[in-house]
Amino acid sequence: MNPLMRLHSKLTGDIIFFSNNKKIPKKSLFCIGFVSLRLLYCSQQTGTVPAPVTGYPVFGSKQQGIILLFHEVTTMKNKKILIGIIALTVVLAAAIGFYVSQPKLNETAELDNTAAARDEADEGPFHYIDETAIALAGEAESSEEALSQAIGTLDLVNSRRAAAGLGPLNWDPRLEQAAMVRAQEAAQSFSHTRPDNTEWWTVNSAIMFGENLAKGYYNADTVVQAWMDSPTHRANIESGKFSTMGVAIYQAPNGSWFWAQAFGL
Protein backbone atom coordinates (compact mmCIF):
# COMPACT_ATOMS: atom_id res chain seq x y z
CA MET A 1 0.00 0.00 0.00
CA ASN A 2 1.50 3.30 -1.02
CA PRO A 3 1.72 6.34 1.35
CA LEU A 4 -1.44 7.84 -0.07
CA MET A 5 -3.42 4.72 0.73
CA ARG A 6 -1.86 4.48 4.21
CA LEU A 7 -2.82 8.10 4.96
CA HIS A 8 -6.36 7.48 3.89
CA SER A 9 -6.52 4.25 5.89
CA LYS A 10 -5.37 5.92 9.12
CA LEU A 11 -7.90 8.72 8.81
CA THR A 12 -10.94 6.67 7.92
CA GLY A 13 -10.21 3.11 8.91
CA ASP A 14 -10.92 2.04 5.35
CA ILE A 15 -8.70 0.88 2.52
CA ILE A 16 -9.20 1.97 -1.10
CA PHE A 17 -7.64 0.07 -3.98
CA PHE A 18 -7.11 2.01 -7.19
CA SER A 19 -8.26 -0.39 -9.87
CA ASN A 20 -6.68 1.69 -12.68
CA ASN A 21 -3.32 2.16 -10.90
CA LYS A 22 -3.43 5.91 -11.54
CA LYS A 23 -1.38 8.24 -9.39
CA ILE A 24 -2.33 11.63 -8.05
CA PRO A 25 -0.29 14.39 -9.80
CA LYS A 26 2.00 16.32 -7.48
CA LYS A 27 0.22 19.59 -8.29
CA SER A 28 -3.01 18.07 -6.96
CA LEU A 29 -1.63 16.86 -3.61
CA PHE A 30 -2.82 20.03 -1.87
CA CYS A 31 -6.34 18.67 -2.27
CA ILE A 32 -5.63 15.41 -0.44
CA GLY A 33 -5.84 16.84 3.05
CA PHE A 34 -9.12 18.56 2.30
CA VAL A 35 -10.71 15.45 0.82
CA SER A 36 -9.45 13.19 3.62
CA LEU A 37 -10.70 15.56 6.31
CA ARG A 38 -14.03 15.64 4.51
CA LEU A 39 -14.27 11.87 4.63
CA LEU A 40 -13.17 11.80 8.29
CA TYR A 41 -15.71 14.46 9.27
CA CYS A 42 -18.56 12.59 7.59
CA SER A 43 -17.50 9.37 9.23
CA GLN A 44 -17.34 10.89 12.73
CA GLN A 45 -20.61 12.81 12.40
CA THR A 46 -22.80 10.13 10.84
CA GLY A 47 -20.87 6.91 11.01
CA THR A 48 -20.87 6.86 7.25
CA VAL A 49 -18.90 8.41 4.46
CA PRO A 50 -20.10 10.10 1.23
CA ALA A 51 -22.00 7.81 -1.08
CA PRO A 52 -19.97 6.16 -3.81
CA VAL A 53 -19.95 7.38 -7.37
CA THR A 54 -21.34 4.93 -9.90
CA GLY A 55 -18.64 3.20 -11.87
CA TYR A 56 -15.91 3.46 -9.23
CA PRO A 57 -15.14 0.28 -7.22
CA VAL A 58 -15.32 0.73 -3.44
CA PHE A 59 -13.73 -1.49 -0.79
CA GLY A 60 -13.75 -1.03 3.00
CA SER A 61 -15.24 -1.98 6.30
CA LYS A 62 -18.12 0.48 5.89
CA GLN A 63 -20.09 -0.79 2.93
CA GLN A 64 -21.96 2.54 2.67
CA GLY A 65 -19.14 3.44 0.29
CA ILE A 66 -16.16 5.73 -0.07
CA ILE A 67 -15.61 8.01 -3.06
CA LEU A 68 -12.30 7.33 -4.64
CA LEU A 69 -9.80 9.96 -3.59
CA PHE A 70 -8.45 10.22 -7.11
CA HIS A 71 -11.94 10.95 -8.39
CA GLU A 72 -12.44 13.62 -5.71
CA VAL A 73 -9.21 15.40 -6.60
CA THR A 74 -9.73 15.29 -10.35
CA THR A 75 -13.34 16.37 -9.96
CA MET A 76 -12.22 19.44 -8.00
CA LYS A 77 -9.64 20.16 -10.67
CA ASN A 78 -12.25 19.85 -13.44
CA LYS A 79 -14.58 22.19 -11.55
CA LYS A 80 -11.84 24.80 -11.43
CA ILE A 81 -11.26 24.43 -15.15
CA LEU A 82 -14.99 24.76 -15.83
CA ILE A 83 -15.23 27.85 -13.62
CA GLY A 84 -12.24 29.32 -15.45
CA ILE A 85 -13.87 28.70 -18.83
CA ILE A 86 -17.13 30.27 -17.66
CA ALA A 87 -15.31 33.30 -16.27
CA LEU A 88 -13.35 33.73 -19.49
CA THR A 89 -16.55 33.48 -21.53
CA VAL A 90 -18.22 36.15 -19.40
CA VAL A 91 -15.21 38.48 -19.75
CA LEU A 92 -15.09 37.98 -23.52
CA ALA A 93 -18.85 38.55 -23.83
CA ALA A 94 -18.57 41.74 -21.78
CA ALA A 95 -15.64 42.95 -23.90
CA ILE A 96 -17.51 42.26 -27.14
CA GLY A 97 -20.62 43.98 -25.80
CA PHE A 98 -18.60 47.03 -24.78
CA TYR A 99 -16.94 47.20 -28.21
CA VAL A 100 -20.24 46.90 -30.06
CA SER A 101 -21.86 49.56 -27.87
CA GLN A 102 -19.15 52.12 -28.53
CA PRO A 103 -19.73 54.67 -31.27
CA LYS A 104 -17.71 54.05 -34.40
CA LEU A 105 -16.19 57.26 -35.63
CA ASN A 106 -16.59 58.16 -39.25
CA GLU A 107 -12.93 58.70 -40.14
CA THR A 108 -13.69 60.11 -43.60
CA ALA A 109 -13.27 63.88 -43.37
CA GLU A 110 -15.24 65.68 -46.04
CA LEU A 111 -16.49 69.10 -47.11
CA ASP A 112 -19.65 69.84 -49.02
CA ASN A 113 -18.96 70.19 -52.75
CA THR A 114 -19.11 73.98 -52.72
CA ALA A 115 -19.80 76.60 -50.09
CA ALA A 116 -23.03 78.56 -50.23
CA ALA A 117 -23.61 82.31 -50.20
CA ARG A 118 -26.42 84.64 -51.18
CA ASP A 119 -27.34 88.30 -51.48
CA GLU A 120 -30.21 90.03 -49.75
CA ALA A 121 -32.02 90.18 -53.07
CA ASP A 122 -32.26 86.38 -53.16
CA GLU A 123 -34.72 86.37 -50.31
CA GLY A 124 -37.57 88.24 -51.96
CA PRO A 125 -40.23 90.18 -50.06
CA PHE A 126 -40.60 87.62 -47.25
CA HIS A 127 -38.39 86.59 -44.32
CA TYR A 128 -38.12 82.92 -43.43
CA ILE A 129 -37.48 81.61 -39.94
CA ASP A 130 -37.89 78.00 -38.82
CA GLU A 131 -38.65 78.57 -35.15
CA THR A 132 -39.49 74.93 -34.48
CA ALA A 133 -36.19 73.68 -35.88
CA ILE A 134 -34.27 76.34 -33.96
CA ALA A 135 -36.03 75.41 -30.71
CA LEU A 136 -35.34 71.71 -31.19
CA ALA A 137 -31.72 72.39 -32.08
CA GLY A 138 -31.38 74.37 -28.87
CA GLU A 139 -32.24 71.24 -26.91
CA ALA A 140 -29.43 69.24 -28.49
CA GLU A 141 -26.60 68.38 -26.14
CA SER A 142 -22.99 68.87 -27.19
CA SER A 143 -19.91 67.84 -25.28
CA GLU A 144 -17.73 70.52 -23.74
CA GLU A 145 -15.01 69.53 -26.18
CA ALA A 146 -17.30 70.08 -29.18
CA LEU A 147 -18.45 73.46 -27.88
CA SER A 148 -14.85 74.48 -27.26
CA GLN A 149 -13.79 73.43 -30.77
CA ALA A 150 -16.72 75.26 -32.38
CA ILE A 151 -15.94 78.52 -30.59
CA GLY A 152 -12.26 77.98 -31.28
CA THR A 153 -12.86 78.44 -35.00
CA LEU A 154 -13.49 82.17 -34.47
CA ASP A 155 -9.89 83.05 -33.58
CA LEU A 156 -8.57 80.86 -36.39
CA VAL A 157 -10.89 82.45 -38.95
CA ASN A 158 -10.04 85.96 -37.79
CA SER A 159 -6.37 85.14 -37.99
CA ARG A 160 -6.80 84.13 -41.63
CA ARG A 161 -8.85 87.24 -42.32
CA ALA A 162 -6.20 89.46 -40.73
CA ALA A 163 -3.59 87.89 -42.98
CA ALA A 164 -5.78 88.86 -45.95
CA GLY A 165 -6.10 92.43 -44.69
CA LEU A 166 -9.72 92.01 -43.52
CA GLY A 167 -11.42 92.96 -40.26
CA PRO A 168 -12.47 90.35 -37.70
CA LEU A 169 -15.85 88.65 -37.58
CA ASN A 170 -17.98 88.86 -34.45
CA TRP A 171 -19.62 85.81 -32.88
CA ASP A 172 -23.42 85.87 -33.26
CA PRO A 173 -25.40 83.50 -30.96
CA ARG A 174 -28.32 83.60 -33.37
CA LEU A 175 -26.08 82.34 -36.17
CA GLU A 176 -24.79 79.67 -33.78
CA GLN A 177 -28.38 78.47 -33.26
CA ALA A 178 -29.05 78.47 -36.98
CA ALA A 179 -25.78 76.63 -37.55
CA MET A 180 -26.84 73.93 -35.09
CA VAL A 181 -30.01 73.37 -37.08
CA ARG A 182 -27.96 73.02 -40.23
CA ALA A 183 -25.37 70.76 -38.59
CA GLN A 184 -28.13 68.38 -37.52
CA GLU A 185 -29.71 68.49 -40.94
CA ALA A 186 -26.32 67.84 -42.57
CA ALA A 187 -26.28 64.47 -40.83
CA GLN A 188 -29.43 63.61 -42.81
CA SER A 189 -28.56 65.35 -46.07
CA PHE A 190 -25.00 66.58 -46.48
CA SER A 191 -25.76 69.48 -48.78
CA HIS A 192 -27.00 73.06 -48.74
CA THR A 193 -30.52 71.83 -49.43
CA ARG A 194 -32.45 71.10 -46.28
CA PRO A 195 -34.17 67.72 -45.76
CA ASP A 196 -37.50 69.37 -46.64
CA ASN A 197 -35.98 70.53 -49.98
CA THR A 198 -35.90 74.21 -49.01
CA GLU A 199 -32.79 76.41 -49.17
CA TRP A 200 -30.26 76.39 -46.33
CA TRP A 201 -30.93 80.01 -45.42
CA THR A 202 -34.62 79.43 -44.69
CA VAL A 203 -33.68 78.51 -41.12
CA ASN A 204 -33.42 82.25 -40.53
CA SER A 205 -33.29 84.30 -43.69
CA ALA A 206 -32.83 87.57 -41.84
CA ILE A 207 -29.30 86.70 -40.69
CA MET A 208 -27.94 83.81 -42.83
CA PHE A 209 -25.96 84.89 -45.88
CA GLY A 210 -23.20 82.29 -46.14
CA GLU A 211 -22.68 78.68 -45.14
CA ASN A 212 -19.77 76.23 -44.94
CA LEU A 213 -20.31 72.57 -44.05
CA ALA A 214 -17.92 69.81 -43.01
CA LYS A 215 -18.00 66.36 -41.45
CA GLY A 216 -15.49 63.96 -39.96
CA TYR A 217 -13.22 66.64 -38.46
CA TYR A 218 -12.61 66.60 -34.73
CA ASN A 219 -10.85 69.87 -33.99
CA ALA A 220 -11.03 73.50 -35.07
CA ASP A 221 -7.57 73.60 -36.64
CA THR A 222 -8.20 70.83 -39.15
CA VAL A 223 -11.67 71.97 -40.19
CA VAL A 224 -10.63 75.59 -40.71
CA GLN A 225 -7.61 74.46 -42.70
CA ALA A 226 -9.86 72.27 -44.86
CA TRP A 227 -12.18 75.22 -45.49
CA MET A 228 -9.21 77.42 -46.37
CA ASP A 229 -7.95 74.80 -48.83
CA SER A 230 -11.27 74.94 -50.70
CA PRO A 231 -11.68 78.02 -52.95
CA THR A 232 -15.43 78.47 -52.33
CA HIS A 233 -15.23 77.92 -48.58
CA ARG A 234 -12.25 80.21 -48.35
CA ALA A 235 -14.19 82.86 -50.25
CA ASN A 236 -16.81 82.86 -47.50
CA ILE A 237 -14.19 83.11 -44.75
CA GLU A 238 -12.40 85.95 -46.54
CA SER A 239 -15.52 87.76 -47.75
CA GLY A 240 -15.43 91.46 -47.00
CA LYS A 241 -19.23 91.68 -46.82
CA PHE A 242 -19.53 89.36 -43.83
CA SER A 243 -19.19 90.79 -40.31
CA THR A 244 -20.59 88.02 -38.09
CA MET A 245 -20.43 84.24 -37.86
CA GLY A 246 -21.55 81.32 -35.76
CA VAL A 247 -20.35 77.70 -35.78
CA ALA A 248 -22.04 74.60 -34.37
CA ILE A 249 -21.14 70.92 -34.19
CA TYR A 250 -23.68 68.12 -34.18
CA GLN A 251 -22.36 64.87 -32.69
CA ALA A 252 -24.14 62.05 -34.47
CA PRO A 253 -24.97 58.77 -32.66
CA ASN A 254 -22.14 57.03 -34.52
CA GLY A 255 -19.65 59.57 -33.15
CA SER A 256 -19.18 61.64 -36.31
CA TRP A 257 -19.01 65.42 -36.03
CA PHE A 258 -21.04 67.50 -38.48
CA TRP A 259 -20.00 71.15 -38.71
CA ALA A 260 -21.96 74.15 -39.95
CA GLN A 261 -20.50 77.63 -40.21
CA ALA A 262 -23.01 80.43 -40.80
CA PHE A 263 -22.09 83.96 -41.88
CA GLY A 264 -24.01 87.19 -41.48
CA LEU A 265 -23.78 90.73 -42.84
Side-chain angles (χ1 to χ4, degrees):
M1 185 163 49
N2 62 36
L4 177 60
M5 291 181 179
R6 287 200 297 272
L7 173 63
H8 191 267
S9 177
K10 288 179 181 179
L11 289 174
T12 65
D14 299 309
I15 300 176
I16 298 176
F17 296 92
F18 291 90
S19 61
N20 54 8
N21 295 318
K22 289 185 178 179
K23 296 181 180 180
I24 304 297
K26 290 183 179 180
K27 62 183 178 180
S28 299
L29 290 178
F30 74 93
C31 299
I32 294 174
F34 169 78
V35 175
S36 298
L37 289 174
R38 172 174 173 267
L39 295 174
L40 178 61
Y41 176 82
C42 292
S43 177
Q44 290 178 340
Q45 293 295 316
T46 65
T48 64
V49 293
V53 176
T54 303
Y56 287 84
V58 178
F59 304 88
S61 58
K62 297 181 177 65
Q63 292 303 312
Q64 291 87 350
I66 301 174
I67 298 175
L68 287 174
L69 188 57
F70 179 75
H71 174 68
E72 286 279 359
V73 173
T74 54
T75 299
M76 292 177 67
K77 180 180 177 182
N78 290 338
K79 286 181 180 178
K80 290 182 179 180
I81 294 174
L82 178 60
I83 292 173
I85 292 174
I86 294 174
L88 181 60
T89 302
V90 171
V91 170
L92 288 175
I96 292 172
F98 177 80
Y99 174 79
V100 171
S101 67
Q102 295 306 296
K104 306 301 182 294
L105 297 183
N106 181 354
E107 297 296 342
T108 303
E110 184 181 348
L111 301 181
D112 50 306
N113 291 331
T114 59
R118 72 181 183 93
D119 295 321
E120 291 183 88
D122 296 336
E123 183 177 3
F126 302 103
H127 285 303
Y128 297 86
I129 181 167
D130 193 338
E131 294 180 347
T132 301
I134 292 173
L136 291 174
E139 297 176 359
E141 295 185 1
S142 295
S143 67
E144 291 185 7
E145 176 63 17
L147 291 172
S148 175
Q149 294 299 327
I151 295 174
T153 60
L154 180 63
D155 288 339
L156 295 171
V157 165
N158 283 336
S159 176
R160 304 304 175 91
R161 286 175 63 87
L166 299 168
L169 299 179
N170 295 313
W171 189 268
D172 187 337
R174 298 175 304 163
L175 285 174
E176 180 185 3
Q177 290 179 332
M180 178 54 80
V181 174
R182 293 294 299 128
Q184 292 179 341
E185 292 178 345
Q188 304 175 50
S189 175
F190 192 61
S191 74
H192 297 291
T193 300
R194 301 181 64 191
D196 62 1
N197 291 319
T198 59
E199 295 289 340
W200 55 274
W201 46 266
T202 59
V203 175
N204 191 339
S205 64
I207 61 174
M208 297 178 71
F209 291 90
E211 179 177 84
N212 288 346
L213 298 178
K215 67 177 180 179
Y217 295 90
Y218 299 95
N219 60 71
D221 294 278
T222 55
V223 75
V224 170
Q225 185 59 55
W227 282 330
M228 290 299 293
D229 290 339
S230 166
T232 58
H233 296 81
R234 179 171 185 159
N236 273 346
I237 290 174
E238 295 184 344
S239 173
K241 70 178 183 179
F242 295 145
S243 63
T244 58
M245 84 168 212
V247 174
I249 299 168
Y250 170 62
Q251 295 172 281
N254 70 347
S256 292
W257 286 16
F258 288 82
W259 301 67
Q261 182 181 34
F263 298 91
L265 301 178

